[in-house]
Amino acid sequence: CLLINCGNYIFFTVFKNKNKKSFYNVLGIMTGTSMDGIDISLIKTNGTDQVKIINEKSYDYSINIQKKIKKIVEKKPVNINKIKKYFENNEEEINKIFIYFINKFLKEFKIKRNFINVISLSGQTMYHNPSKGISIQLGSGKVIANEFKIKTVSNFRDNDIRHKGQGAPIGSYYHKYILSKLNNKTIIINLGGIANFTAIYKNNIFSSDIGPANCIVDDLCNYFFKKKFDEKGYLSSRGKPIYKILNNYRKDRFFKKKIPKSLDRNYFNKYINKLKKIDKYDSLCTATYMVLVGLENFININKFQIDSIILTGGGRKNNFLLKIFKNNINKKIELIDSLKINGDLVEAQMFAYIGIRSIKKLILSSKYTTGVNKSISGGKLYNPS
């Protein structure tokens, strides 16, 4: 505080220091491009070098909730100028899903709301087109803040997009926190709906999407078998890869782009339409091999020194995919769980962590992670009314 004496008047000014409280109890909420569930992690962190897990859990969506979310995406207008308004009109449905599962989490772990300093909300990605300056995540930070009477950080990608970035992947600095404890020839590959990597090379952090992971397999599994995903890759393992489709897929222009780059989960739908016309087991098998294509392309065209790959995300549970990786990638491959980190909840931890970095105005993205024109922070803080 500062006391100023100006003649007959005294001015008393208080300066708020956002770093005064260095540690926060923060609830990270993650809903990925797979659209199959919600991950919630309550951690204590300073947003830099310390993280303590308090409680966390993954909740699977029912097939009805998953269909509801995907239906909103499928019915989006063709006219790009109408897309933002369309998704805004459908945000209430997503808010209800967030509120339901946050309440369930708090009740299950008997957590009082006043124990939580901040909620950090990823939002459900519905549309991603950085070339047009658009990345839409539904889930209102304002609504969540008012509902739970807790400060809420969201809209993490907006500032990145404004600074000519890809808007994704946005959580690279949490992966950097994990990698800082390992040797510098280790990279993280996140196998969510979309696959992305994080690496530290020449003291810089690099990150980028590299191709689809679960999204194509999940959509085909739902189409052929009415299942949300191919558990352990069992159905995919019963088929054979169709190399004519794979060879065409390898030539896609996305793989020719330099990193950093990012994907909308529906970008590769043109291949899904082809895969729907062949044997259902061969279709799933081919879609699984497509994940390998993305990883091989990334390794072959980039000059990172890689000895080992740490896998996280739901795709790490696909035993058939892991077998394909180990038969084709000449690197040590292990699951992040071997580091005593729950691979199902890394992304929820990540959003909790970057939520505090946002509050402290620390860097969230750089030219090597999303392609922004300068290193920046991001996110928007909503105070409860």
Side-chain angles (χ1 to χ4, degrees), residues 8-121:
N8 295 326
Y9 300 96
I10 294 178
F11 296 95
F12 182 77
T13 306
V14 177
F15 296 100
K16 293 182 179 179
N17 184 349
K18 292 182 180 179
N19 292 316
K20 185 177 180 181
K21 184 172 184 179
S22 59
F23 284 86
Y24 294 76
N25 294 331
V26 52
L27 194 69
I29 315 293
M30 172 63 185
T31 48
T33 48
S34 294
M35 300 182 176
D36 58 355
I38 184 169
D39 304 325
I40 303 178
S41 183
L42 176 62
I43 71 173
K44 184 173 185 177
T45 183
N46 59 357
T48 53
D49 62 344
Q50 295 188 53
V51 173
K52 179 183 178 183
I53 310 299
I54 300 173
N55 297 112
E56 54 185 5
K57 187 170 181 178
S58 292
Y59 297 96
D60 291 334
Y61 286 157
S62 67
I63 196 75
N64 288 333
I65 290 178
Q66 191 177 39
K67 282 183 177 179
K68 185 182 291 186
I69 296 172
K70 288 184 177 180
K71 190 174 181 180
I72 294 173
V73 176
E74 289 165 3
K75 289 193 170 184
K76 71 180 184 295
V78 175
N79 187 331
I80 198 166
N81 295 320
K82 296 180 180 180
I83 282 177
K84 283 188 177 181
K85 187 65 177 177
Y86 165 79
F87 282 118
E88 285 173 5
N89 292 338
N90 284 279
E91 188 167 51
E92 186 177 354
E93 284 295 327
I94 306 301
N95 288 335
K96 288 177 181 177
I97 294 170
F98 283 138
I99 290 167
Y100 171 79
F101 282 104
I102 293 172
N103 273 319
K104 187 173 184 177
F105 180 86
L106 298 181
K107 184 177 180 180
E108 183 172 345
F109 290 101
K110 299 178 181 178
I111 299 166
K112 294 182 179 180
R113 295 184 183 187
N114 61 7
F115 179 75
I116 301 169
N117 303 121
V118 180
I119 294 174
S120 185
L121 185 71

Side-chain angles (χ1 to χ4, degrees), residues 292-304:
L292 172 67
V293 170
L295 181 54
E296 283 181 325
N297 177 77
F298 158 70
I299 291 173
N300 291 337
I301 69 173
N302 292 287
K303 296 181 180 180
F304 299 110

